[in-house]
Amino acid sequence: MADLTTDFIGIKSPNPFWLASAPPTDKEYNVRRAFEAGWGGVVWKTLGSEGPPVVNVNGPRYGAIYGADRRLLGLNNIELITDRDLFTNLEEIKRVKADYPDRAIIVSIMVPCEEQAWKAILPLVEDTGADGIELNFGCPHGMSERGMGAAVGQVPEYIEMVTRWCKLYYSKPVIVKLTPNITDIRKPAAAARAGGADAVSLINTINSITSVNLDTMSPEPSIDGKGSHGGYCGPAVKPIAMSMVSEIARGEDTHGMPISGIGGITTWRDAAEFITLGCGNVQVCTAAMTYGFKIVQEMISGLSEWMDSKGHTSIEDFRGAAVPNVTDWNQLNLNYIAKAKINQDLCISCGRCFAACEDTSHQAIAMSDDRTFSVIDAECVACNLCVNVCPVEDCITMETMAPGATDPRTGKVVQPDYANWTTHPNNPSATAAE
C-alpha cells in the first residue's frame, strides 16, 4: 500500500495534508480537532509582536463567490492575523506539539520589518518545540497597509533581508510564504532562496473585491456601510496557484527549491496535481472551512487508492513528474493535430456546442434539420471549446491525427498549417532574415 508519510525539509508528517495558516488554526481547540480528524500538520494562524493587540472587525469577515447550487468557489477574507495574546498562543502551541509529536506544527509569523522585532519573537517561538516557521509575506489586506504582509512580499530585497534575520536567530526550518499579487513570482522566490530559506509556500490570497451590494452600494462583506479589498481564496484560485508553483519549479534561479503548495485544494486529485508540479506537501484552508476537518479523510483515502492504482509507493515517486512537460508557448509542437468528435449515442441535442462554435469560434459544427450535430473537419481548429461547454461528459472528445494521415471520416489528407515553426514569422525567436 502507498505510504503517505512525508519528509518536507526535514519536517516529518504522516501525510502531505497540512492546514494552512488561517482561522481553522487559530487556537488549541481547533488544532486538536484537526489532528484527531487526521491532518498531517498545521501552520498555526499568524502570530504578531508582543504589544497592543490586533483588533479584527466584529462584522462580516467573508464575501463569497458561488457556482451552481451555491457551491462555494471562492472566499474574500478581510480577517487579520491572530487577535489573541501572543503568549497564550505560544503556550497552546507548546502543549499541542507535546501531545502530537508525530504531527507537523509550523508557526506563521508577521512582525514589523525591523531586525529587533524578529530577533525578539523567534526565540519565543523556538521554545514551543514547533517544527519550523512560516514567514507571512503574503497577506494583501489590513496588515499590508501597516508595512507588513504583501508590502514585504512585493519587494524581493525585503524578503531576502528578513529571511536572513530569521536564519540567523532561529535554528529550525524557515518557510517563506509568497504573495501572488506580483508580476513575476520567480523573483520573490529567488530572493527567499538567496536569504537562506529552506522552502517557499504559495500562493497566499489574491487581492480582491468579490461583490458589491447594489442596494447599499457597499462592497461585500460590508462593515457599517463600508467595504474593503480582501484576500481571495478557494477552488477558483487553483489555476493561478498551479501556474505560479510551476514557474518556481522550473525557474532558472528557483529550480529544485522545496515548495509547499497552497490554493484551492479541495480533493485528493487537486493535491496530486500540485505534487506533480513539484510540491512536497499541500496546505488546505477553504475546503476545511466549507466541509469541516473530516474532509481530510477523503483526501487521504483518495490519494492512497490512486497511488496504489499507479504503483506509486510514496509521493516522491511522482513529485515533479509534470514539471518537464510545462514549457513556453513557443516550444509547443505546432505539427500536432486533433479534431473534435461527437458521440451521437451520448448527444442530447442541446445545441450548446453549435451555439458556442457558431457565434464565438470557428463555425466548425453543423446542425441538421433534425438537430443532429456534426463536426466540419475543414473548419475545426481543435480549440476544445465544444468539449468544455458540452454538459455530457465524454460526449465530445478530441481525436489526435498524425500529419499526412487520411481522415477516415472525410477521406482527406491532414496537413499541418506549417512544417517548420523555428522559421515561422509568428515565432518570436525567428529572425527577420530567416
Side-chain angles (χ1 to χ4, degrees):
M1 293 180 63
D3 179 8
L4 298 189
T5 302
T6 60
D7 186 339
F8 181 70
I9 58 173
I11 302 171
K12 294 183 179 180
S13 56
N15 61 64
F17 300 106
W18 292 5
L19 283 171
S21 170
T25 62
D26 187 38
K27 62 178 76 72
E28 180 178 1
Y29 177 83
N30 299 54
V31 174
R32 287 183 181 274
R33 284 180 61 84
F35 284 160
E36 289 303 311
W39 291 89
V42 302
V43 182
W44 204 278
K45 184 172 169 66
T46 306
L47 308 185
S49 300
E50 180 184 3
V54 169
V55 179
N56 270 295
V57 296
N58 286 317
R61 298 181 183 182
Y62 307 113
I65 295 292
Y66 297 104
D69 302 322
R70 275 184 67 85
R71 178 176 175 238
L72 187 66
L73 298 182
L75 281 179
N76 176 35
N77 161 37
I78 63 168
E79 184 169 303
L80 303 181
I81 66 174
T82 185
D83 52 12
R84 304 170 70 240
D85 176 70
L86 171 62
F87 291 96
T88 298
N89 274 297
L90 294 172
E91 290 169 5
E92 292 182 358
I93 293 167
K94 188 173 185 177
R95 284 199 298 267
V96 175
K97 183 58 189 177
D99 289 345
Y100 295 89
D102 66 322
R103 310 301 174 91
I105 296 184
I106 309 299
V107 179
S108 177
I109 307 175
M110 182 194 296
V111 297
C113 198
E114 301 165 357
E115 184 173 1
Q116 185 55 42
W118 289 94
K119 184 178 180 180
I121 196 172
L122 289 171
L124 302 177
V125 172
E126 186 148 9
D127 285 345
T128 66
D131 299 289
I133 58 174
E134 183 180 80
L135 313 187
N136 186 344
F137 293 155
C139 192
H141 58 277
M143 305 308 292
S144 60
E145 295 157 14
R146 308 179 194 186
M148 293 181 276
V152 178
Q154 291 168 338
V155 184
E157 293 81 3
Y158 291 173
I159 292 175
E160 181 177 349
M161 177 178 67
V162 177
T163 303
R164 287 189 187 279
W165 293 340
C166 292
K167 292 299 294 183
L168 178 63
Y169 299 119
Y170 184 74
S171 67
K172 293 184 178 180
V174 175
I175 303 169
V176 173
K177 191 174 188 180
L178 302 178
T179 176
N181 302 296
I182 195 164
T183 304
D184 187 345
I185 196 67
R186 294 170 295 183
K187 292 181 179 179
R193 169 175 267 182
D198 297 278
V200 291
S201 59
L202 68 155
I203 59 174
N204 207 314
T205 52
I206 300 170
N207 209 9
S208 67
I209 292 178
T210 48
S211 62
V212 173
N213 186 312
L214 295 179
D215 294 319
T216 64
M217 295 300 169
S218 171
E220 299 285 1
S222 179
I223 307 297
D224 194 25
K226 301 290 184 180
S228 176
H229 65 94
Y232 192 51
C233 58
V237 311
K238 176 191 167 190
I240 299 167
M242 291 204 300
S243 176
M244 290 188 169
V245 164
S246 73
E247 288 300 291
I248 292 174
R250 70 189 190 98
E252 183 177 346
D253 296 327
T254 56
H255 176 74
M257 192 171 192
I259 303 171
S260 182
I262 313 170
I265 297 162
T266 306
T267 68
W268 69 264
R269 184 179 294 274
D270 297 332
E273 291 175 8
F274 272 82
I275 292 169
T276 67
L277 290 173
C279 294
N281 65 12
V282 294
Q283 297 183 32
V284 178
C285 173
T286 307
M289 294 177 72
T290 305
Y291 303 108
F293 285 152
K294 289 186 178 179
I295 191 174
V296 74
Q297 296 169 10
E298 296 180 14
M299 294 178 176
I300 291 170
S301 61
L303 183 61
S304 180
E305 290 174 10
W306 174 78
M307 288 172 62
D308 286 344
S309 72
K310 297 294 185 180
H312 298 314
T313 58
S314 76
I315 69 167
E316 291 301 314
D317 290 349
F318 63 96
R319 186 173 65 84
V323 175
N325 295 324
V326 181
T327 188
D328 293 334
W329 194 96
N330 63 12
Q331 299 302 311
L332 296 176
N333 179 12
L334 297 193
N335 290 332
Y336 178 85
I337 297 172
K339 301 289 181 182
K341 182 179 180 181
I342 300 174
N343 185 328
Q344 300 299 334
D345 293 332
L346 295 177
C347 182
I348 60 174
S349 299
C350 68
R352 282 193 193 177
C353 62
F354 174 78
C357 189
E358 190 72 13
D359 289 349
T360 70
S361 199
H362 296 278
Q363 297 78 52
I365 295 180
M367 179 176 68
S368 67
D369 292 339
D370 64 350
R371 291 186 66 82
T372 297
F373 298 93
S374 58
V375 177
I376 305 171
D377 289 325
E379 302 299 333
C380 179
V381 299
C383 71
N384 208 41
L385 178 62
C386 56
V387 175
N388 292 323
V389 302
C390 179
V392 180
E393 189 174 3
D394 295 329
C395 177
I396 307 178
T397 54
M398 303 306 297
E399 184 178 282
T400 304
M401 308 188 75
T406 299
D407 186 337
R409 294 169 290 170
T410 64
K412 296 179 179 179
V413 174
V414 177
Q415 295 289 351
D417 291 336
Y418 35 83
N420 193 347
W421 171 237
T422 59
T423 59
H424 192 271
N426 284 349
N427 185 347
S429 27
T431 65
E434 289 174 328

